[in-house]
Amino acid sequence: KMMFMSTRVITLFWLSVILSFSATALDSKAIFADLHKDGNGMLSEGEAYEDAMLYKNFEQIDKDHSGQISYAEFKLFIQ
């Protein structure tokens, strides 16, 4: 009986991790979509201005120094 409980707890743990990861991924997409207004799929410095933390760290987040933040760069920052 103890083995069953242990397996069940581990299964519930991984299920919560998977659901949490999925929710975070969906949340990050929604946040990114809300911030970028022109629909080009990138955040400009002006669009990032709406979020103080994003704006403050803009140059650090913009890994390829394109002057814009891609969704991939955004995801790396918020993880």
Side-chain angles (χ1 to χ4, degrees):
K1 183 162 182 151
M2 189 62 157
M3 179 67 162
F4 174 73
M5 286 293 285
S6 177
T7 304
R8 185 173 180 199
V9 170
I10 291 170
T11 302
L12 290 174
F13 168 76
W14 283 111
L15 181 59
S16 69
V17 168
I18 290 166
L19 291 175
S20 173
F21 177 76
S22 297
T24 302
L26 293 175
D27 290 346
S28 66
K29 285 182 181 182
I31 293 167
F32 188 84
D34 188 50
L35 287 169
H36 89 86
K37 303 296 182 199
D38 62 11
N40 71 350
M42 305 287 276
L43 289 177
S44 67
E45 195 167 359
E47 290 167 324
Y49 186 76
E50 291 186 37
D51 182 280
M53 184 64 77
L54 201 58
Y55 184 72
K56 178 181 174 187
N57 295 290
F58 189 87
E59 289 181 14
Q60 178 186 353
I61 300 166
D62 180 20
K63 299 288 186 195
D64 64 1
H65 307 288
S66 65
Q68 297 186 329
I69 297 173
S70 67
Y71 176 66
E73 291 168 328
F74 178 76
K75 264 189 3 183
L76 284 174
F77 176 69
I78 64 170
Q79 287 180 346

